Amino acid sequence: MSYVNMTMLSNFLKISNSNRPLQRIESIFLLTRRTFSSHGTFDYDLAVIGGGSGGLACAKEAVNHGAKVAVLDYVTPSPLGTKWGLGGTCVNVGCIPKKLMHQAALLGESIHEAVSYGWEVPSPKDIKINWTSLTEAVQNHIKSVNWVTRVDLRDKKIEYINGLGEFKDAHTIVATLKNGSKKELTAKNVVIAVGGRPHYPDIPGALEYCISSDDIFSLSYPPGKTLVVGAGYIGLECAGFLNSLGYSATVLVRSVPLRGFDQQMAQLVTAEMEERGVRFHHKCVPLSVEKLESGQLKARWQNTDTGEQSEDVFDTVLMATGRYALTKALNLPAAGVTVVTESGKISAPTEQTNVGHIFAVGDVLEGRPELTPVAIHAGRLLARRLFAAAPHHMDYDNVATTVFTPLEYGCVGLSEEAAVARLGEDAVEVYHAYYKPTEFFIPQRNIRNCYLKAVAERAPPQQVLGLHFVGPVAGEVIQGFAAAIKCGLTMEQLMNTVGIHPTVAEEFTRLNITKRSGKDPNPASCCS
């Protein structure tokens, strides 16, 4: 029996034994509405501020262990006016619509390639995307997920409050509802799971005329010629699928592409994108965006090395210059939460803030991977610790991820740079290879950027520190190997694993050439 049920049972028995019938009935009624604890009486055992993946996972798991839970969620419209339903970034303006757009782009490529396999299709010049149909299909799916999420909360008897929550004190939250009215509630425990939103650079025209990933998946008009400002994974993914859908894409790179990822792999990703037609301007920062009489946007930018300024006219300018945590609206000082960084993120290594009963999960955490599965797993584990006395904490090491660029990049563990920085160059061995996906034989597709590597300790048994793969279905490839990394995979074990032929995943089992050896990492044939 959960701690909540035991507490309620104990108090129920005390009330039932009372000699005052009226008081007994009134008290039993109140007990169904509020939870009594040693700290006082609260409306809920747990209040979750933020209805994204991490917050919802925590709330549902808490209910499974007998807790009484409320979830507060409110979406402030983007500068363009875009808003969405319950479910957070991933469902509405992140992973899900991004993957659907990526899939649409892959299907377009497949249609063109089908001719080489004997399919009779219309002339390539007649194949084009209907942007309205695409966005309608994507939004219809998202709305169905929004609905299922709300029904799930209702079925689990989790109170959903469509309001912007902020602290009144350490146990009291005030929600501002859509109509402007206020709703006040108290909770024994609070989880902050508000996530983040796109950052806009402080330049003329950014807020007035530009869009972000909050807007692109429901944009009411075809984006046309697009400038993407920023070369993180969001910027590259958007530029990649827009280009593949037939919309010219240009990317401004301030420093390096895919900062925080293995830079050799990042260079392969951008090289592939350039070969497919995406334009890159390196070491460039935006200066201004001006709306012309034609409705188009004139963007100006500057090269930070040379000082040279350039400009061009676009139909759409998409800002992908990072994200900020939505903590300012929470009134954290009222709750006594002080572990907030300059970026607005919360520093809480074990999800617990400096206030013992206030926790945080997901993208709002400082120094943690901004990934939906990370938030979900951390939220569930936190709920189990709070309401089921479970001992397990989230392990943030060796979390796999994939960048869904036209040629995908999947990785788990340390980058080559991080491994060398941690252990020293002489202590690291890198096994690598180029390979030829069978899918690329007919028609003959570019394979110059199909590459993988294993970063390992040089000393026996050569434990694998990181795996990196650029190629088709990278996410599917890297997921299984992520489990092996968690189990302490060594190079000997990897080399003694029999691959499934012909797949691209088997290429990891065939790694045998090290960078240190200087040997040619190109295969002699598909079966070499």
Side-chain angles (χ1 to χ4, degrees):
M1 182 180 292
S2 74
Y3 96 95
V4 174
N5 291 332
M6 288 189 291
T7 301
M8 292 183 70
L9 178 60
S10 174
N11 285 285
F12 181 83
L13 291 174
K14 291 176 183 177
I15 295 167
S16 298
N17 291 329
S18 170
N19 292 323
R20 301 170 63 181
L22 184 60
Q23 180 186 9
R24 183 166 67 245
I25 294 171
E26 182 182 15
S27 299
I28 290 173
F29 172 74
L30 289 174
L31 186 60
T32 64
R33 295 183 63 247
R34 302 173 83 89
T35 300
F36 185 80
S37 76
S38 60
H39 298 286
T41 304
F42 304 103
D43 298 315
Y44 301 94
D45 302 302
L46 175 67
V48 178
I49 307 177
S53 301
L56 292 174
C58 185
K60 293 175 186 179
E61 188 66 23
V63 165
N64 290 342
H65 297 289
K68 186 179 180 183
V69 180
V71 171
L72 297 86
D73 185 68
Y74 183 83
V75 179
T76 302
S78 73
L80 189 69
T82 306
K83 54 185 178 180
W84 50 88
L86 181 64
T89 297
C90 175
V91 166
N92 294 283
V93 291
C95 319
I96 300 304
K98 176 268 303 289
K99 183 67 182 293
L100 293 174
M101 293 286 197
H102 177 61
Q103 177 64 15
L106 294 179
L107 286 172
E109 295 173 357
S110 296
I111 293 173
H112 286 86
E113 293 174 354
V115 176
S116 299
Y117 283 93
W119 285 96
E120 296 181 359
V121 299
S123 170
K125 66 181 181 180
D126 296 327
I127 299 173
K128 59 182 180 181
I129 192 74
N130 184 314
W131 178 262
T132 300
S133 297
L134 172 60
T135 53
E136 283 181 357
V138 169
Q139 292 306 308
N140 285 340
H141 172 70
I142 290 172
K143 287 180 175 61
S144 72
V145 177
N146 296 150
W147 173 251
V148 168
T149 302
R150 291 195 65 168
V151 170
D152 195 27
L153 293 185
R154 183 191 65 195
D155 291 347
K156 294 182 182 296
K157 295 181 172 53
I158 297 172
E159 183 171 357
Y160 165 54
I161 301 170
N162 185 203
L164 187 64
E166 63 177 303
F167 285 97
K168 181 178 179 180
D169 58 45
H171 286 283
T172 307
I173 299 168
V174 177
T176 302
L177 307 182
K178 188 181 296 185
N179 62 7
S181 64
K182 306 283 186 179
K183 180 181 177 67
E184 189 171 300
L185 60 98
T186 60
K188 182 179 180 182
N189 300 285
V190 180
V191 171
I192 299 168
V194 292
R197 295 289 289 272
H199 169 266
Y200 284 73
D202 186 17
I203 61 170
L207 288 172
E208 295 90 341
Y209 308 126
C210 301
I211 69 169
S212 72
S213 56
D214 281 354
D215 310 297
I216 186 66
F217 305 112
S218 59
L219 200 63
S220 60
Y221 54 87
K225 180 182 177 182
T226 302
L227 173 67
V228 177
V229 182
Y233 74 93
I234 294 174
L236 294 192
E237 287 174 340
C238 290
F241 71 67
L242 287 174
N243 181 73
S244 296
L245 293 174
Y247 305 110
S248 171
T250 299
V251 179
L252 294 189
V253 186
R254 179 178 62 86
S255 54
V256 296
L258 296 178
R259 176 176 292 279
F261 289 87
D262 187 289
Q263 281 303 292
Q264 181 187 10
M265 311 307 283
Q267 293 302 321
L268 290 169
V269 167
T270 55
E272 177 73 19
M273 291 178 68
E274 284 187 297
E275 289 168 14
R276 293 181 182 224
V278 178
R279 298 182 62 191
F280 285 85
H281 296 293
H282 295 274
K283 304 293 183 182
C284 288
V285 295
L287 296 177
S288 65
V289 177
E290 174 189 351
K291 191 166 188 176
L292 305 177
E293 290 184 4
S294 64
Q296 291 181 296
L297 304 175
K298 180 163 70 173
R300 296 174 55 249
W301 61 88
Q302 184 175 43
N303 186 294
T304 56
D305 281 351
T306 66
E308 180 183 359
Q309 295 188 12
S310 303
E311 64 180 46
D312 199 354
V313 176
F314 301 89
D315 299 302
T316 302
V317 176
L318 189 154
M319 291 296 176
T321 53
R323 298 173 67 82
Y324 66 94
L326 288 169
T327 53
K328 285 186 178 180
L330 295 178
N331 193 21
L332 291 177
V337 177
T338 59
V339 287
V340 182
T341 67
E342 290 184 3
S343 66
K345 293 204 170 192
I346 294 173
S347 178
T350 60
E351 293 87 49
Q352 186 178 42
T353 71
N354 62 294
V355 180
H357 67 277
I358 300 178
F359 305 83
V361 297
D363 292 2
V364 76
L365 281 174
E366 176 71 18
R368 298 307 190 193
E370 295 184 5
L371 299 168
T372 295
V374 170
I376 291 172
H377 197 53
R380 286 175 179 162
L381 291 178
L382 173 59
R384 291 168 192 165
R385 292 199 303 276
L386 289 175
F387 302 109
H392 304 294
H393 285 266
M394 176 67 190
D395 181 3
Y396 289 99
D397 289 333
N398 295 323
V399 174
T401 190
T402 294
V403 181
F404 289 98
T405 38
L407 197 58
E408 299 171 7
Y409 167 35
C411 61
V412 60
L414 297 181
S415 65
E416 184 175 345
E417 296 94 338
V420 170
R422 180 179 298 185
L423 302 178
E425 190 171 354
D426 291 338
V428 174
E429 196 75 271
V430 178
Y431 291 81
H432 69 146
Y434 289 91
Y435 65 97
K436 301 176 181 178
T438 305
E439 299 92 322
F440 287 14
F441 288 174
I442 302 175
Q444 290 293 324
R445 286 179 57 181
N446 173 33
I447 62 170
R448 283 193 296 273
N449 302 310
C450 293
Y451 176 84
L452 73 160
K453 66 180 175 182
V455 181
E457 293 179 349
R458 190 178 181 188
Q462 290 198 305
Q463 182 171 346
V464 178
L465 305 173
L467 294 174
H468 302 265
F469 177 92
V470 171
V473 293
E476 310 300 336
V477 170
I478 212 71
Q479 180 66 85
F481 288 108
I485 290 275
K486 281 285 189 184
C487 295
L489 178 69
T490 66
M491 284 306 301
E492 181 180 0
Q493 292 168 332
L494 185 60
M495 292 175 179
N496 282 324
T497 300
V498 177
I500 302 171
H501 189 70
T503 65
V504 290
E506 73 172 320
E507 300 298 336
F508 273 120
T509 70
R510 296 159 62 173
L511 286 172
N512 59 74
I513 294 174
T514 67
K515 283 189 174 182
R516 194 184 305 274
S517 72
K519 294 181 180 178
D520 183 6
N522 289 286
S525 70
C526 71
C527 300
S528 63

